[in-house]
Amino acid sequence: MVHHPSRRGLDPRPLRFEQGAVAVVLLVGFTFRAELLIPAVTVVLALSGAVGPRRAPLPRLFSTVIGDRLEPPDAFVDRQTVRLSVLVQTGALLIASLFVFLGLGVLAWVIALAVVATAAFDAATGSWVEAGLYWRVARRRRP
């Protein structure tokens, strides 16, 4: 088992590792003008969203390598929050990937760098900013 889920949610540390890896890989791609890293990261995030937070490849790698050495987490994150954040990032990167394949690299990087900012913020704070924005908008739309 990758995480030790409880009724309160999932261990956020492997999920934050995934967000940090996404941010770093996309920043390296931007630095070295490797536009094909955008679709590659999109595939990894899509896979993560498809299999769920406990079986996603990067969190699973983190848990396999480091997980046993860590003490139990103090706080947990809701599974739906993580899935929503990954879904928003994957959608944005799908659009960026389309721009890459259409030869619109500048627009692709604008979108990818927005994902870098949110992924880095998620990794650093564990706040899942995409889900937070969605829930705020959803609350305002209720009558």
Side-chain angles (χ1 to χ4, degrees):
M1 187 165 231
V2 176
H3 306 280
H4 301 289
S6 72
R7 292 181 184 165
R8 296 175 287 184
L10 299 169
D11 183 353
R13 295 170 293 190
L15 305 169
R16 290 172 71 177
F17 169 76
E18 177 182 50
Q19 292 296 300
V22 165
V24 168
V25 168
L26 287 174
L27 275 178
V28 167
F30 178 73
T31 302
F32 294 107
R33 297 181 183 182
E35 290 179 347
L36 290 179
L37 282 179
I38 295 173
V41 170
T42 304
V43 168
V44 170
L45 277 179
L47 180 63
S48 178
V51 299
R54 290 192 300 159
R55 291 180 293 188
L58 291 174
R60 187 177 201 113
L61 173 69
F62 178 87
S63 294
T64 301
V65 174
I66 299 175
D68 294 339
R69 296 181 220 155
L70 297 174
E71 294 192 18
D74 294 333
F76 295 91
V77 64
D78 180 46
R79 180 172 297 147
Q80 296 299 342
T81 300
V82 174
R83 281 193 170 219
L84 181 59
S85 293
V86 169
L87 179 66
V88 169
Q89 290 175 341
T90 303
L93 287 177
L94 276 172
I95 295 169
S97 296
L98 177 66
F99 286 157
V100 166
F101 294 126
L102 292 175
L104 302 170
V106 173
L107 290 176
W109 281 118
V110 168
I111 294 170
L113 289 175
V115 172
V116 166
T118 61
F121 189 77
D122 292 346
T125 64
S127 66
W128 309 102
V129 68
E130 303 88 354
L133 290 174
Y134 173 80
W135 295 124
R136 283 185 185 174
V137 170
R139 277 189 230 134
R140 287 185 182 175
R141 295 184 105 181
R142 289 184 185 165

